Amino acid sequence: MSKKVLVINGSDREGSFNGQLAGQLVSELERNDVAAEILDYAELPLLSQNTEFPTQQIISDIRAQVKAADALLIVSPEYNGSYTARLKNLIDWLSRPTEQGNNEEITVINSKPVAIASVANSTYGKFVRQNLNTLVAYTRMKPMDHEGLGIKIPGSAWGTGQLELEPEQQEKVESFVKEFITFIG
């Protein structure tokens, strides 16, 4: 496997549809000979400049994982038309310098290729994808020139709790992954 992608799930809800989509994207990337894993950042503390330094080990570890990845793939639910606080907190940590007072430092996400995906109800995650694309560009990541992957939650999923994609949706996932792989080179 030539490339390594770190998938970031914006939801921490057990069994979340976006978590399930993140897992499906990992599988699809691996089917296309790309190493992929989901980032575990459940224990990441809330960013506060009062406790930012000295850097806690969990923050150093997460930054090292992000730095080692060739690209990021963010999968997020749509909360009131935007992303989750948990995801914003992660991006805030990644956008901060690792050395106190060194605001000129290049961060681990600077120029990092990134794409956005979401599974949501009637909006297909349109608003969270727009907002995340703005945020990642602002934090100097390199967003894929694509609106991202938007999947509508199938009606049956509400009863079963399982995100079973319809053939048309599965084709969208496969097409998106192929475009993403081309994008990251």
Side-chain angles (χ1 to χ4, degrees), residues 12-24:
D12 65 350
R13 183 176 65 81
E14 198 171 307
S16 80
F17 296 129
N18 280 276
Q20 291 178 55
L21 179 60
Q24 291 175 19

Side-chain angles (χ1 to χ4, degrees), residues 15-159:
S16 80
F17 296 129
N18 280 276
Q20 291 178 55
L21 179 60
Q24 291 175 19
L25 287 165
V26 165
S27 295
E28 189 62 31
L29 284 161
E30 290 177 343
R31 265 195 294 279
N32 283 276
D33 203 33
V34 175
E37 67 177 305
I38 296 175
L39 175 67
D40 178 5
Y41 63 106
E43 302 299 319
L44 186 69
L46 189 61
L47 175 64
S48 170
Q49 289 183 330
N50 295 322
T51 58
E52 185 175 7
F53 296 102
T55 305
Q56 297 174 45
Q57 189 62 47
I58 187 168
I59 292 147
S60 296
D61 292 347
I62 289 171
R63 285 177 174 156
Q65 285 181 273
V66 169
K67 186 174 184 173
D70 294 301
L72 303 176
L73 179 51
I74 300 173
V75 184
S76 180
E78 190 169 86
Y79 282 21
N80 294 318
S82 196
Y83 36 80
T84 64
R86 161 183 211 265
L87 179 56
K88 176 68 164 62
N89 185 55
L90 172 66
I91 294 170
D92 286 345
W93 271 112
L94 296 174
S95 72
R96 301 288 297 158
T98 60
E99 182 183 313
Q100 190 168 9
N102 185 359
N103 292 329
E104 301 301 316
E105 177 183 0
I106 295 175
T107 68
V108 296
I109 56 174
N110 193 69
S111 299
K112 184 72 69 177
V114 61
I116 312 296
S118 180
V119 58
N121 207 11
S122 62
T123 66
Y124 293 70
K126 173 185 173 182
F127 300 108
V128 70
R129 289 182 286 121
Q130 288 172 346
N131 285 319
L132 273 170
N133 273 309
T134 299
L135 176 64
V136 299
Y138 184 84
T139 57
R140 297 188 178 105
M141 286 188 241
K142 181 183 170 188
M144 187 167 85
D145 187 23
H146 186 285
E147 66 182 29
L149 174 66
I151 298 289
K152 183 176 181 185
I153 299 171
S156 62
W158 295 109

Side-chain angles (χ1 to χ4, degrees), residues 24 28 31 165-174:
Q24 291 175 19
E28 189 62 31
R31 265 195 294 279
L165 300 181
E166 296 160 359
E168 179 182 301
Q169 293 173 315
Q170 187 59 45
E171 287 175 21
K172 281 180 70 175
V173 167
E174 292 167 8

